[in-house]
Every structure is written in C-alpha cells, then in structure tokens.
C-alpha cells in the first residue's frame, strides 16, 4: 500500500473523470433536491434532466454533503495509504461544503487540511489538479496546499447567463442584485471575485455579451501559459464555437477543457450559461 498525500475535492470541480482517476483525486458529491427527491450530483441526476426541470419551473434546490459523508471519504482515503489529506472545496461564500468538511476533518484518522479555494467549477478543478501534481512529486500536505492556493490566486472565472432569475432564486448573486432592475433589458456578464458572484458588465444583446466574454478572457490570458475551461449548460454549440475562437486567440494556451456544468452549478445559473475559466500555470 503506497504512502502518499491524497487530494479530495467536491463534485462541483467538474474535472474529467479520466483526469481524476489518473491523479487519484476523490470528489465528494453535492446534492440536488428536485421536488421531494434528493439526488447526488454526477451519479443520480443528469444535466439534461436538470435543464428540463428548470425550464418547466419545477422547484430545484441544492445542498452540501453531510459531515458524515466527508468522514467516510476521509476514512476510505486513509485506508488506501494516505498519510495526509488536502481537501479543496468550492467557495464558502456560495456553499456550506467547506464547513461540513472542516467538521469531518476533526474525526479523520489522518491529518486533513481543508481549504476554501474561493473558486467554483474548473476554477476549483485546476486547483485540485495543481495540488495532486505536486503531491505526486512527493510533496508534503503544506506544499500541496500552497500549490492549490497559488493556482487559486491567479485564476479568473467569467460567465454569461441568459437571465439572473435562477441566481436570484438561489440567493447566489450578492452584489449582482444591482443588475436586477434592468435584468430584462440587458444580458449580464458576471465574475467570481473574493469567492462571490459579482457583476462585471451589462451588455445589450446575447451575441454582444458572448463576444465581450471572449474579449475579456483573451485579454486575461495574454502573455502567460494558461489552462482554459469553457463551461456551458444546454448550450453546446455556443461553448464549442467560443472554445474554437479562444484556441486561435490565446497564444499561451496549454490545455483547453470544454464541458457542461453539473446539476449543482446549473441549478443556480440556468440553461444558456456560458463560462470561461483562465488559470495561469
């Protein structure tokens, strides 16, 4: 049984399954509550089913993993040979996942460092990947945490939504409340700032908003070697086209991931979401 520092994250990191398997990253699932059914993200509810429920205006909420689920995960990871665990999670401003992990870490059989990355989606995924790659090189828990925190500090996430209604319903827009008065007249661009979803710009049409999203992403990526992720919900053609344009515009592009977000993030953004994560190496 190999001795190693293990990396745990949560299901909102949206790392490709093959990447997680290759680097030994474990994800703890969040839950989507659809009507009276609690469904684990990634295994029990598809993004297609989520999008259909939202379009029909069915009640959809999300919930964090329980501390007990984290305890079980930490125990299993320790049994696999881990001498320490780095547990990296989505912004505590947006979810109670971090708090549940902290509570469980006190009961873990090996030392656990729980980190609020302040990130979501592949912005979190890139942090987990950086920590895993550092751990694979024989790093300590502290060194793996430092790698994740360095990656988080340089990573930016920008996104377009067709409507702010889903974010408003879920109470996730914070200062973006300022956009609500004109939400019907504009297409909002948002950003992740200090772990919160904040307004970035107001643009008059969807096509102009997506063009502006591309411009912002390309400017942010200029002059560096970067990993990029393009996310969407029920908008694969938009995402593919944006990714193709970024491939030609970002000279320092290392890896580019295109994926549909899972049900938890999708529940708060709604169909039509288009997001770009820029993460310098």
């Amino acid at each position: 049984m190999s001795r190693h520092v293990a990396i745990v994250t949560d299901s909102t990191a949206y790392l490709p399954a093959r990447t997680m398997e290759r680097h030994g990253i474990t994800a703890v699932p969040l839950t989507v509550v659809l009507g009276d059914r609690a469904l684990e993200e990634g295994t029990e509810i598809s993004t297609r089913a989520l999008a259909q429920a939202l379009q029909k205006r069915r009640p959809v909420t999300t919930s964090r993993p329980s501390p007990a689920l984290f305890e079980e995960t930490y125990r299993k990871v320790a049994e696999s040979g881990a001498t320490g665990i780095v547990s990296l999670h989505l912004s505590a401003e947006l979810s109670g996942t971090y708090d549940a992990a902290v509570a469980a870490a006190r009961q873990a059989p090996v030392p656990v460092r729980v980190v609020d990355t302040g990130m979501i989606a592949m912005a979190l995924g890139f942090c987990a990947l950086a920590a895993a790659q550092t751990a694979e090189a024989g790093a300590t828990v502290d060194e793996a945490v430092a790698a994740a925190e360095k990656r988080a500090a340089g990573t930016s996430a920008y996104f377009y939504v067709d409507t702010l209604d889903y974010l408003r319903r879920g109470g996730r827009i914070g200062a973006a409340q300022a956009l609500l008065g004109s939400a019907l007249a504009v297409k909002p661009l948002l950003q992740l700032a200090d772990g919160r979803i904040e307004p970035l710009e107001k643009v008059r049409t969807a096509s102009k908003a997506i063009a502006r999203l591309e411009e912002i992403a390309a400017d942010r990526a200029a002059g560096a070697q970067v990993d990029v992720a393009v996310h969407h919900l029920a908008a694969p053609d938009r995402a593919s086209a944006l990714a193709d344009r970024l491939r030609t515009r970002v000279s320092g592009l290392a890896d580019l991931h295109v994926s549909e977000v899972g049900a938890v993030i999708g529940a708060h953004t709604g169909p039509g979401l288009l997001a770009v994560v820029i993460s310098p190496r």
Side-chain angles (χ1 to χ4, degrees):
M1 185 165 58
S2 65
R3 313 302 290 173
H4 61 282
V5 171
I7 308 303
V8 172
T9 187
D10 59 69
S11 60
T12 68
Y14 302 141
L15 280 164
R18 285 175 295 181
T19 299
M20 292 183 61
E21 183 177 356
R22 184 183 315 126
H23 296 284
I25 300 170
T26 302
V28 177
L30 275 73
T31 299
V32 175
V33 181
L34 186 57
D36 59 356
R37 299 176 64 206
L39 305 166
E40 283 190 357
E41 180 176 45
T43 58
E44 296 180 340
I45 180 169
S46 68
T47 50
R48 180 178 181 183
L50 181 278
Q52 290 174 340
L54 292 174
Q55 288 163 345
K56 293 176 181 177
R57 301 189 68 83
R58 294 180 61 189
V60 180
T61 58
T62 60
S63 66
R64 70 181 191 179
S66 68
L69 183 55
F70 273 111
E71 286 182 33
E72 180 185 0
T73 300
Y74 295 153
R75 178 182 55 78
K76 289 181 178 178
V77 170
E79 289 173 353
S80 76
T83 56
I85 298 170
V86 177
S87 198
L88 302 158
H89 300 291
L90 79 160
S91 172
E93 295 282 349
L94 302 175
S95 169
T97 300
Y98 168 80
D99 293 333
V102 168
R106 301 187 187 106
Q107 311 301 322
V110 297
V112 179
R113 283 281 301 277
V114 183
V115 180
D116 171 13
T117 66
M119 301 282 110
I120 54 175
M122 273 296 292
L124 168 58
F126 287 133
C127 295
L129 187 56
Q133 290 170 332
T134 302
E136 285 167 2
T140 64
V141 165
D142 287 346
E143 289 167 338
V145 168
E149 291 179 337
K150 181 179 179 181
R151 195 69 182 254
T155 296
S156 302
Y158 308 100
F159 56 105
Y160 159 86
V161 291
D162 276 337
T163 173
L164 286 169
D165 189 41
Y166 299 103
L167 285 163
R168 178 187 59 78
R169 283 190 235 165
R172 295 303 198 278
I173 53 175
Q177 294 271 6
L179 291 175
L180 282 175
S182 56
L184 295 177
V186 301
K187 293 297 184 181
L189 291 177
L190 307 169
Q191 64 179 334
L192 194 63
D194 298 322
R196 297 184 298 272
I197 296 170
E198 304 281 6
L200 181 60
E201 294 182 7
K202 296 182 259 187
V203 185
R204 286 293 175 185
T205 66
S207 60
K208 289 181 179 179
I210 293 169
R212 182 61 183 140
L213 179 65
E214 175 189 339
E215 192 72 30
I216 291 167
D219 288 346
R220 178 67 182 83
Q225 185 182 34
V226 296
D227 294 323
V228 175
V230 176
H231 289 305
H232 71 93
L233 180 63
D237 293 341
R238 276 180 178 175
S240 179
L242 176 58
D244 287 344
R245 294 194 298 271
L246 288 174
R247 282 189 184 94
T248 64
R249 295 192 61 170
V250 178
S251 59
L253 183 63
D255 287 332
L256 191 150
H257 302 261
V258 182
S259 66
E260 192 165 34
V261 296
V264 168
I265 299 299
H268 295 289
T269 59
L273 164 74
L274 197 59
V276 181
V277 175
I278 305 294
S279 186
R281 291 194 169 186

